[in-house]
Amino acid sequence: MQEAVLITNPAAVATSQHVKEVIVKALSADLHVEVVDTAAPGHATEVASQAVRSGVDLVVAFGGDGTMNEVANGMVGSDTSLGILPGGNANVVCRNLGLPADIVEATGRLLNGLRGNRIRRISVGRTEGRCFLVSCGLGLRPPAASETAREVRHDAASEATYGAASETANEAAGQRPNEDAADPPGPDAVAEHRRGPRFPGRHLLESAFRAAIRDRSGRDARIRLSAGDVTEAVVVALITNTSQLSYVGDWPVTLAPEARLEEGLDLLAMRHFPLSYVPRLAWSALWGGSHVHYKQVLYLHDLGRVRATSDGRPFSVHLDGEFLDDRTEVEIELIRDGLAVLV
């Protein structure tokens, strides 16, 4: 019988004790399963890395996208298979792989993949020794309610633009205006707070709006990007090899329409960020993907490396939603076929 380690995040939305027991019982029919609950940031990476060194056949990650990121960081470059069970809110990694977002269906899919030995090798990005499965963002600040409110109060036109963009996104996704309001913070939010500022997918629109305001006021650094034979100055950028970076309900937010998990990195950046672009980007990301041809948009496909430097002022950096310290220089590289995923 094959050996497996099940790494769970007990603070994630769907990882109750009862659900975990049901999953373990199902997996135990085909596997000898060791269960490890994460206790602190970085713990999942340590457990996954140790499992790889010990020759375990399969590591199963049960949690949200943050858990997937940590587990993958302990496995990149190995031949050990990664199984994914969705336990978060958005489950972006799971959905981009075409796996079920429902935990019961996902468990059945994992067992079928195991029995059929269905392995998919995907590429990942890396910067400063840390890998990302979804995206690396440059120049997008973590949400700060007080700052956002202060900026909006001083600009009625900006408030109208943000309101229009919100309605555009909701209408495109078939939602009522307030249907996607954030839920009250629960254990998952408390656990994430330990790790510092986060960049949940639901804040993409807000962050775009704030970036446009900051670009107009000249408060953020200009970021000089170099990729292949292209060098350009931008205000914000996303580097990814997944086409869908978030979801509005079940509706995908497709910011990098040409990105493929098996290929190189795609780059989406704004040379300048006019406020009028916010609702246009929101609509295009939900319906059509024409934003890659906009005048102020820089879009590059299938890259092996991206280098970013500033004019001396630091810019923000996030990996799969977790913010690092601000940088004046960063290099992002592709690890092709770096991860073996059970599908």
Side-chain angles (χ1 to χ4, degrees), residues 140-149 151-152 162 165-166 199-213 278:
L140 289 163
R141 297 285 172 185
S146 59
E147 182 178 344
T148 302
E151 289 172 341
V152 170
Y162 181 61
S166 298
F199 186 67
R202 64 179 177 270
H203 291 307
L204 270 171
L205 181 60
E206 177 192 339
S207 295
F209 166 71
R210 296 173 69 242
I213 292 179
V278 178

Side-chain angles (χ1 to χ4, degrees), residues 2 29 47 64 73 77 85 92 116 118 122 124 144 150 157-158 170 173 177 192 204 250 265 298 304 313:
Q2 290 184 309
V47 174
N73 266 276
L85 293 177
V92 173
R118 294 199 302 266
I122 65 171
V124 300
R150 182 170 64 251
S158 300
N170 286 325
E192 294 294 349
L204 270 171
D250 291 329
L265 300 169
L298 172 64
R313 292 177 292 172

Side-chain angles (χ1 to χ4, degrees), residues 5-328:
V5 175
L6 173 64
I7 302 174
T8 74
N9 177 3
V13 174
T15 56
S16 68
Q17 184 63 32
H18 173 68
V19 171
K20 184 170 65 176
E21 289 173 356
V22 172
I23 291 171
V24 170
K25 184 175 181 179
L27 296 181
S28 296
D30 293 76
L31 299 162
H32 181 269
V33 182
E34 176 189 357
V35 181
V36 180
D37 291 338
T38 58
H43 187 200
T45 300
E46 295 174 7
V47 174
S49 180
Q50 179 59 47
V52 169
R53 291 194 300 270
S54 300
V56 168
D57 302 292
L58 174 67
V59 175
V60 180
F62 179 28
D65 291 315
T67 304
M68 303 305 159
N69 173 281
E70 286 204 4
V71 172
N73 266 276
M75 300 180 64
V76 167
S78 75
D79 290 324
T80 303
S81 298
L82 169 64
I84 292 177
L85 293 177
N89 279 314
N91 301 308
V92 173
V93 174
C94 173
R95 293 181 180 191
N96 270 281
L97 284 162
L99 300 174
D102 175 79
I103 184 60
V104 175
E105 293 180 14
T107 303
R109 177 73 170 267
L110 187 152
L111 288 170
N112 287 336
L114 179 67
R115 292 161 186 160
N117 194 32
R118 294 199 302 266
I119 304 297
R120 180 179 176 184
R121 294 215 69 110
I122 65 171
S123 301
V124 300
R126 179 171 64 188
T127 183
E128 299 183 7
R130 293 189 58 181
C131 297
F132 59 91
L133 298 178
V134 179
S135 69
C136 172
L138 310 177
L140 289 163
R141 297 285 172 185
S146 59
E147 182 178 344
T148 302
R150 182 170 64 251
E151 289 172 341
V152 170
R153 280 199 305 270
H154 284 82
D155 196 330
S158 300
E159 185 174 9
T161 301
Y162 181 61
S166 298
E167 291 183 11
T168 297
N170 286 325
E171 288 172 5
Q175 294 185 332
R176 295 186 298 274
N178 293 324
E179 191 172 333
D180 198 38
D183 295 327
D188 187 39
V190 174
E192 294 294 349
H193 181 70
R194 296 197 310 261
R195 307 169 71 174
R198 298 286 298 176
F199 186 67
R202 64 179 177 270
H203 291 307
L204 270 171
L205 181 60
E206 177 192 339
S207 295
F209 166 71
R210 296 173 69 242
I213 292 179
R214 297 180 73 88
D215 179 40
R216 186 169 66 172
S217 64
R219 280 183 283 170
D220 275 346
R222 295 285 290 173
I223 303 169
R224 181 163 292 277
L225 295 176
S226 299
D229 57 356
V230 176
T231 300
E232 290 213 32
V234 303
V235 292
V236 295
L238 283 167
I239 298 97
T240 181
N241 69 334
T242 61
S243 59
Q244 297 158 0
L245 273 70
S246 186
Y247 289 81
V248 179
D250 291 329
W251 201 277
V253 178
T254 306
L255 288 172
E258 297 179 23
R260 299 293 181 269
L261 285 164
E262 289 85 1
E263 297 182 4
L265 300 169
D266 279 27
L267 167 69
L268 175 74
M270 298 296 301
R271 297 180 175 96
H272 288 285
F273 210 153
L275 275 167
S276 62
Y277 268 53
V278 178
R280 291 176 64 193
L281 281 169
W283 174 261
S284 177
L286 289 166
W287 191 268
S290 62
H291 58 277
V292 298
H293 304 296
Y294 291 176
K295 179 180 178 180
Q296 296 298 341
V297 172
L298 172 64
Y299 187 79
L300 301 174
H301 173 61
D302 199 18
L303 304 171
R305 189 177 302 270
V306 178
R307 187 169 184 268
T309 58
S310 78
D311 56 8
R313 292 177 292 172
F315 53 84
S316 63
V317 180
H318 75 75
L319 299 180
D320 283 354
E322 184 175 352
F323 279 85
L324 312 180
D325 292 335
D326 287 1
R327 304 284 197 271
T328 56

